[in-house]
Amino acid sequence: MKLMRLPEVMAKTGLGRSAIYERIAEGTFPKPVALGGRAVAWVSDEIEAWIMARIEERDAVQE
């Protein structure tokens, strides 16, 4: 497990900054962890789980 900053989360998920924060507000994306000041990061395991859930949703629709 590691902490990922926003550029890495964006690269991993294919989402832009505003899309990530919109999904956080909707409760459909993992919340960031405060690192101090204005710095935040995401838990890599939570991002991986979010990606896997998207894959599972896709596969469930195709069946």
Side-chain angles (χ1 to χ4, degrees):
M1 176 177 15
K2 70 174 192 163
L3 294 176
M4 302 167 60
R5 298 299 301 269
L6 183 58
E8 189 176 357
V9 174
M10 291 168 54
K12 189 97 173 159
T13 62
L15 297 173
R17 179 187 185 282
S18 60
I20 289 171
Y21 281 101
E22 284 173 10
R23 285 169 173 78
I24 291 169
E26 294 168 354
T28 60
F29 195 82
K31 293 181 180 178
V33 175
L35 300 178
R38 292 175 30 172
V40 297
W42 283 260
V43 178
S44 61
D45 290 353
E46 293 176 359
I47 298 300
E48 291 290 336
W50 182 86
I51 293 169
M52 290 305 298
R54 303 295 70 74
I55 293 169
E56 290 171 5
E57 285 176 8
R58 177 203 63 193
D59 293 347
V61 171
Q62 291 180 356
E63 291 177 5

